[in-house]
Amino acid sequence: MTLADLQANAKEHGFTHHFMCEDGGVRSDGTGHLYNADELRLVHSSSTDHGTDPGDDATIFMIEAKDGTKGVMIVADAFHADPNKAEIIDQLRRNRATY
């Protein structure tokens, strides 16, 4: 599957917004609200791996906020990953069982 396919699948499941990392948290493009990691739950993730160019690889994370906002965060392959995004995703993975 391509990244576009994964985004379309997420949208079909109600994950229509995009979450962006900022200083102090994660902002939703839909509400403009700045969430901290404790207000977010990692629902699912899917990766693309085309095997030829690691720069084409990415993971899409489907995230739901406690207020019901659903969106995605896209993280490039590990070599090119934004450290702030990686930190937030690590927090969400750790919190997954306690949400």
Side-chain angles (χ1 to χ4, degrees), residues 6 10 28 38 52-53 80 89 93:
L6 295 176
S28 165
D38 292 338
T52 55
D53 183 0
H80 297 99
I89 295 301
R93 284 181 173 153

Side-chain angles (χ1 to χ4, degrees), residues 43-72:
V43 176
H44 185 72
S45 63
S46 296
S47 298
T48 62
D49 181 1
H50 298 289
T52 55
D53 183 0
D56 290 340
D57 299 342
T59 302
I60 186 169
F61 294 91
M62 292 178 227
I63 299 169
E64 183 176 7
K66 284 189 176 180
D67 66 8
T69 301
K70 290 180 169 183
V72 298

Side-chain angles (χ1 to χ4, degrees), residues 4-16 60-62 70-72:
D5 294 333
L6 295 176
Q7 286 178 291
N9 181 54
K11 193 171 189 176
E12 287 175 18
H13 287 89
F15 293 84
T16 57
I60 186 169
F61 294 91
M62 292 178 227
K70 290 180 169 183
V72 298

